[in-house]
Amino acid sequence: MAMADREALLGLTYQASAATWPFTAISTCIFGMKVYSRFRLQKSALGWDDLVISVSWALNMVRAAVFQKALDSTRHISTANPTDSVSTAGFWVIFIDAWAFLSIALPKLGVSILIIRIFRPRQWLKASIFTLGVALNILAIVGFIITFVQCDPVAGQWNPFRYPQTHCWDRTIQVIYSCTVGGTCLNI
């Protein structure tokens, strides 16, 4: 890796880190306001929406931390020892890509339950809203699984030096699935 390429890579990792943490802080503030209003203002029993949104927030914190770990591992890629440094960075990058499925879909289920609780729609609409939230999560879990079953052996995805004989599905399968689920999540 040329020095200019390494500097460009370092610059991108710092930009990605700088973009991630403000959004994580904003989501934490919004979650904190929801928790505050639930306990201080409403004083009602906790519901399923509270549980799902709390788990979503916790998973988002894990996502942010793992993303930072992936960026840090990428910064430490060594041209002198690519076998170890690339495999570590590759693992964390693939893991965060898989984790993104879950961090996008689960909050939608929490918001679906919240909408149902607040607006109390007719039974058919309640069933539709809840079914869409659950369906998105099923699609996300399938995407998470696809990420880790698409290569044999699995570790060959992030450690091609140690497993040169790795056989993987065509990469377009994962890309098309990811774009489809991501687009569906955005439209619902």
Side-chain angles (χ1 to χ4, degrees), residues 37-113:
S37 68
R38 188 70 162 158
F39 286 116
R40 290 288 196 172
L41 304 177
Q42 284 187 329
K43 298 189 184 204
S44 59
L46 295 177
W48 282 103
D49 57 323
D50 298 310
L51 175 66
V52 174
I53 290 172
S54 296
V55 169
S56 298
W57 175 78
L59 292 177
N60 187 47
M61 293 299 105
V62 171
R63 184 213 45 85
V66 171
F67 184 64
Q68 188 62 50
K69 176 69 176 166
L71 292 173
D72 292 343
S73 296
T74 303
R75 288 181 192 129
H76 293 101
I77 290 178
S78 168
T79 54
N81 186 8
T83 305
D84 291 332
S85 61
V86 169
S87 64
T88 302
F91 171 78
W92 289 112
V93 167
I94 289 169
F95 188 80
I96 194 62
D97 284 347
W99 197 266
F101 278 110
L102 304 177
S103 68
I104 291 172
L106 191 59
K108 295 210 181 261
L109 179 60
V111 171
S112 299
I113 296 169

Side-chain angles (χ1 to χ4, degrees), residues 9-183:
L9 179 64
L10 286 174
L12 288 173
T13 61
Y14 290 123
Q15 289 172 8
S17 184
T20 297
W21 289 107
F23 286 108
T24 303
I26 290 168
S27 72
T28 300
C29 290
I30 291 170
F31 175 71
M33 288 187 290
K34 182 188 180 343
V35 169
Y36 176 81
S37 68
R38 188 70 162 158
F39 286 116
R40 290 288 196 172
L41 304 177
Q42 284 187 329
K43 298 189 184 204
S44 59
L46 295 177
W48 282 103
D49 57 323
D50 298 310
L51 175 66
V52 174
I53 290 172
S54 296
V55 169
S56 298
W57 175 78
L59 292 177
N60 187 47
M61 293 299 105
V62 171
R63 184 213 45 85
V66 171
F67 184 64
Q68 188 62 50
K69 176 69 176 166
L71 292 173
D72 292 343
S73 296
T74 303
R75 288 181 192 129
H76 293 101
I77 290 178
S78 168
T79 54
N81 186 8
T83 305
D84 291 332
S85 61
V86 169
S87 64
T88 302
F91 171 78
W92 289 112
V93 167
I94 289 169
F95 188 80
I96 194 62
D97 284 347
W99 197 266
F101 278 110
L102 304 177
S103 68
I104 291 172
L106 191 59
K108 295 210 181 261
L109 179 60
V111 171
S112 299
I113 296 169
L114 179 65
I115 288 170
I116 290 169
R117 184 177 60 80
I118 291 172
F119 294 111
R120 302 181 199 282
R122 293 182 188 164
Q123 193 61 35
W124 69 269
L125 188 54
K126 181 192 288 187
S128 298
I129 292 169
F130 187 74
T131 301
L132 285 172
V134 170
L136 282 177
N137 279 277
I138 290 169
L139 291 171
I141 290 168
V142 169
F144 185 85
I145 292 168
I146 286 174
T147 301
F148 291 104
V149 300
Q150 66 184 343
C151 288
D152 181 35
V154 175
Q157 290 186 77
W158 59 82
N159 198 346
F161 298 107
R162 186 168 179 199
Y163 302 99
Q165 74 284 5
T166 301
H167 299 286
C168 296
W169 301 350
D170 183 3
R171 291 286 181 192
T172 58
I173 294 170
Q174 178 72 8
V175 171
I176 291 169
Y177 189 84
S178 299
C179 290
T180 303
V181 171

